[in-house]
């Protein structure tokens, strides 16, 4: 759980955040390029051998027995060993105008294992990719040449890029967000963000406010103020399962987050939100002064049994269970569900402060990807059930009513 995170953004971190490719480029009559993952090669069980030895009967047990080389179990094993040096990457296609035909153009041999994320930057003619080999790489889409790479601390699961400043944002399974400054043939580490207790599962940009959103398997979304140079990180708690996809409606300033349980949360980001306070450390309750169970000296002096320590989500003070028996939602701090607060903070929270800043909906399928089309006002979701749902989205209707237009 994030507790009072604050980091001053460096000067080179002032970003104008624009997702790419831009919508105008998608309307161009020029041939369109698409990308897909290549199938992963099966690993060799014995570490391989020289493919040139396949024609040698002494090197091939199948050939020694009179079996046809390349057939049956022996042929499959030998083919796998022969491909052990093959690198995996993206594959480029040209799409026909009616989208009914794909013509292969080139392969990008970028990674040693399965590709996890891929992004095409039209303005720079770059192809960005990450893989399970913990490598980030970028290639020139004109020549297919590899321009550079960077090794991440864990397998990457989120990838975003800023065209103007050439900053790339990589979220990984360790819960870390890495910011790199890309040049033509090298990159520089700018900083890293650590706020999640679980792996990062999705990244999303607010291009106007220049804020990065990261979803995680710890059920939370964190809003990182990068471009504003405020160095704040605001936690959004509204899911009962891991966050698997994020999208942003810029014209209404609404963040759309989707969970593994099929829940969709629409967050109103046009409000003044507050950063969660840092949790304080104490050997006794900061309200009633009762000792906690590890404070043996005070327990002996007062002849009292130590209590368990808790923390108020609003003020951050260390309190006992008796002094924090109340629960309350704090939407402006991102707590849409009721959380533990001390008795004094519970009395200070007004009904206006408890007014929700998010709406909750059920998509009725396990969402793995979401996309918002601002030009049509459509929200598209795809799930593990192999179903794509199209929803009409506008500010004045609830998402439940929009599901009538799903087809």
């Amino acid at each position: 759980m994030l507790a009072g995170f604050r980091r001053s953004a460096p000067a080179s971190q002032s970003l104008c955040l624009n997702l790419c490719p831009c919508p105008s480029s998608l309307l161009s009559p020029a041939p369109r390029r698409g990308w897909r993952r290549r199938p992963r090669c099966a690993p060799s069980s014995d570490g391989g051998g020289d493919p040139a030895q396949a024609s040698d009967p002494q090197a091939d047990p199948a050939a020694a027995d009179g079996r046809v080389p390349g057939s049956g179990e022996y042929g499959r094993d030998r083919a796998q060993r022969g491909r052990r040096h093959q690198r995996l990457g993206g594959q480029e296609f040209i799409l026909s105008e009616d989208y009914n035909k794909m013509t292969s153009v080139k392969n990008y041999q970028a990674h040693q294992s399965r590709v996890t994320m891929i992004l095409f930057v039209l303005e720079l003619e770059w192809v960005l990719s990450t893989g399970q080999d913990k490598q980030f790489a970028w290639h020139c889409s004109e020549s297919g040449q590899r321009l550079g790479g960077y090794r991440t601390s864990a397998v990457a699961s989120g990838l975003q890029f800023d065209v103007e400043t050439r900053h790339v944002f990589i979220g990984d399974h360790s819960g870390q967000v890495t910011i790199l400054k890309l040049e033509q043939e090298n990159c520089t580490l700018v900083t890293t963000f650590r706020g999640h207790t679980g792996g990062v599962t999705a990244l999303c940009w607010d291009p106007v406010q220049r804020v990065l959103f990261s979803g995680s398997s710890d059920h939370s979304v964190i809003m990182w103020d990068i471009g504003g140079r405020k160095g704040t990180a605001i936690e959004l708690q509204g899911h009962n399962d891991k966050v698997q996809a994020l999208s942003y409606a810029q014209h209404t300033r609404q963040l759309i987050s989707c969970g593994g349980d099929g829940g969709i949360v629409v967050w109103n980001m046009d409000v003044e939100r507050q950063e969660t306070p840092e949790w304080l450390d104490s050997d006794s309750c900061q309200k009633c002064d009762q000792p906690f169970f590890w404070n043996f000296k005070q327990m002996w002096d007062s002849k009292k049994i130590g209590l368990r320590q808790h923390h108020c989500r609003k003020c951050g003070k260390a309190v006992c269970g008796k002094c924090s028996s109340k629960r309350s939602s704090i939407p402006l701090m991102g707590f849409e569900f009721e959380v533990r607060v001390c008795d004094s903070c519970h009395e200070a929270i007004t009904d206006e402060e408890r007014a929700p800043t998010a709406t909750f909906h059920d998509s009725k399928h396990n969402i793995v990807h979401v996309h918002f089309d601002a030009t049509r006002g459509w929200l598209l979701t795809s799930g593990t059930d192999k179903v794509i749902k199209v929803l009409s989205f506008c500010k004045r209707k609830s998402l439940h009513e929009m599901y009538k237009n799903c087809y």
Side-chain angles (χ1 to χ4, degrees), residues 10-318:
S12 62
Q13 211 168 295
S14 178
L15 307 179
C16 176
L17 308 178
N18 297 313
L19 295 179
C20 62
C22 59
S24 60
S25 65
L26 300 179
L27 303 178
S28 173
R32 299 168 176 83
R33 290 174 176 172
W35 314 94
R36 75 175 183 182
R37 296 174 179 171
R38 298 186 60 192
R40 179 174 55 181
C41 296
S44 174
S45 60
D46 59 356
D50 193 346
Q53 297 177 356
S55 60
D56 185 2
Q58 300 299 327
D60 190 354
D65 294 341
R67 283 186 280 261
V68 178
S71 64
E73 180 180 356
Y74 289 97
R76 288 194 298 269
D77 291 343
R78 188 174 63 255
Q80 291 174 1
R81 292 195 299 269
R83 291 196 300 267
R84 72 192 187 281
H85 296 299
Q86 180 176 350
R87 297 174 64 86
L88 302 180
Q91 188 170 356
E92 179 179 343
F93 300 89
I94 292 180
L95 302 180
S96 62
E97 291 298 325
D98 57 2
Y99 296 97
N100 288 325
K101 183 180 179 181
M102 299 173 61
T103 304
S104 178
V105 178
K106 65 169 68 75
N107 295 331
Y108 296 89
Q109 309 299 332
H111 300 280
Q112 297 287 356
S113 58
R114 181 179 179 181
V115 176
T116 56
M117 302 291 296
I118 193 166
L119 188 64
F120 174 52
V121 184
L122 179 64
E123 292 81 355
L124 300 175
E125 295 291 343
W126 284 358
V127 179
L128 314 180
S129 63
T130 58
Q132 289 187 344
D133 55 359
K134 302 181 183 180
Q135 287 287 339
F136 162 74
W138 71 100
H139 289 71
C140 175
S141 62
E142 292 296 317
S143 63
Q145 179 183 359
R146 178 185 173 97
L147 300 178
Y150 179 85
R151 183 171 181 83
T152 59
S153 60
V155 177
S157 51
L159 182 64
Q160 290 291 319
F161 183 73
D162 174 54
V163 178
E164 182 176 347
T165 61
R166 299 188 180 183
H167 283 86
V168 65
F169 305 87
I170 307 171
D172 58 44
H173 287 173
S174 69
Q176 176 178 290
V177 178
T178 303
I179 303 179
L180 302 175
K181 170 72 173 182
L182 299 189
E183 302 297 342
Q184 187 63 28
E185 295 182 355
N186 58 74
C187 65
T188 304
L189 176 63
V190 178
T191 187
T192 57
F193 291 156
R194 299 177 183 270
H196 289 289
T197 58
V200 175
T201 54
L203 294 178
C204 185
W205 278 106
D206 177 355
V208 177
Q209 302 297 322
R210 295 182 290 182
V211 171
L212 175 69
F213 298 97
S214 62
S216 173
S217 58
D218 61 7
H219 307 179
S220 70
V221 178
I222 296 181
M223 181 179 71
W224 309 90
D225 189 350
I226 300 175
R229 299 184 180 181
K230 297 179 181 179
T232 57
I234 295 177
E235 188 177 2
L236 304 177
Q237 293 282 357
H239 287 278
N240 293 316
D241 203 337
K242 62 180 179 179
V243 180
Q244 298 194 143
L246 295 173
S247 185
Y248 189 74
Q250 181 179 343
H251 66 295
T252 58
R253 293 198 61 187
Q254 290 176 303
L255 176 69
I256 305 166
S257 60
C258 303
D261 57 356
I264 298 179
V265 183
V266 182
W267 304 86
N268 179 17
M269 304 309 299
D270 197 17
V271 295
E272 189 68 25
R273 296 189 177 272
Q274 304 172 14
E275 190 176 15
T276 53
E278 183 178 359
W279 285 4
L280 303 178
D281 294 328
S282 178
D283 292 330
S284 58
C285 177
Q286 294 180 309
K287 293 293 183 179
C288 65
D289 201 34
Q290 291 289 326
F292 294 132
F293 60 85
W294 61 80
N295 191 351
F296 298 106
K297 183 178 185 305
Q298 187 175 353
M299 284 191 296
W300 178 265
D301 295 339
S302 61
K303 306 301 181 183
K304 295 180 180 179
I305 299 177
L307 305 177
R308 182 181 176 184
Q309 176 182 279
H310 301 282
H311 285 91
C312 174
R313 283 2 181 226
K314 183 171 177 58
C315 65
K317 291 184 177 180

Side-chain angles (χ1 to χ4, degrees), residues 247-401:
S247 185
Y248 189 74
Q250 181 179 343
H251 66 295
T252 58
R253 293 198 61 187
Q254 290 176 303
L255 176 69
I256 305 166
S257 60
C258 303
D261 57 356
I264 298 179
V265 183
V266 182
W267 304 86
N268 179 17
M269 304 309 299
D270 197 17
V271 295
E272 189 68 25
R273 296 189 177 272
Q274 304 172 14
E275 190 176 15
T276 53
E278 183 178 359
W279 285 4
L280 303 178
D281 294 328
S282 178
D283 292 330
S284 58
C285 177
Q286 294 180 309
K287 293 293 183 179
C288 65
D289 201 34
Q290 291 289 326
F292 294 132
F293 60 85
W294 61 80
N295 191 351
F296 298 106
K297 183 178 185 305
Q298 187 175 353
M299 284 191 296
W300 178 265
D301 295 339
S302 61
K303 306 301 181 183
K304 295 180 180 179
I305 299 177
L307 305 177
R308 182 181 176 184
Q309 176 182 279
H310 301 282
H311 285 91
C312 174
R313 283 2 181 226
K314 183 171 177 58
C315 65
K317 291 184 177 180
V319 292
C320 64
K322 183 179 179 180
C323 296
S324 59
S325 59
K326 305 294 180 62
R327 302 290 185 274
S328 176
S329 60
I330 318 175
L332 294 182
M333 285 188 173
F335 297 109
E336 294 291 334
F337 302 147
E338 290 189 347
V339 292
R340 180 186 297 271
V341 293
C342 62
D343 295 346
S344 58
C345 287
H346 185 271
E347 296 176 358
I349 300 175
T350 63
D351 293 337
E352 290 77 11
E353 293 176 330
R354 291 189 177 94
T357 60
T359 56
F360 301 84
H361 317 276
D362 186 10
S363 66
K364 296 181 175 61
H365 72 154
N366 185 359
I367 299 175
V368 295
H369 182 74
V370 63
H371 174 74
F372 178 71
D373 186 350
T375 58
R376 296 182 177 91
W378 286 357
L379 182 69
L380 294 88
T381 63
S382 60
T384 56
D385 54 1
K386 301 181 181 180
V387 174
I388 297 177
K389 294 188 177 182
V390 184
L391 303 92
S392 177
F393 188 91
C394 66
K395 191 174 182 180
R396 297 181 179 179
K397 294 182 180 180
S398 68
L399 199 59
H400 179 73
E401 295 172 349

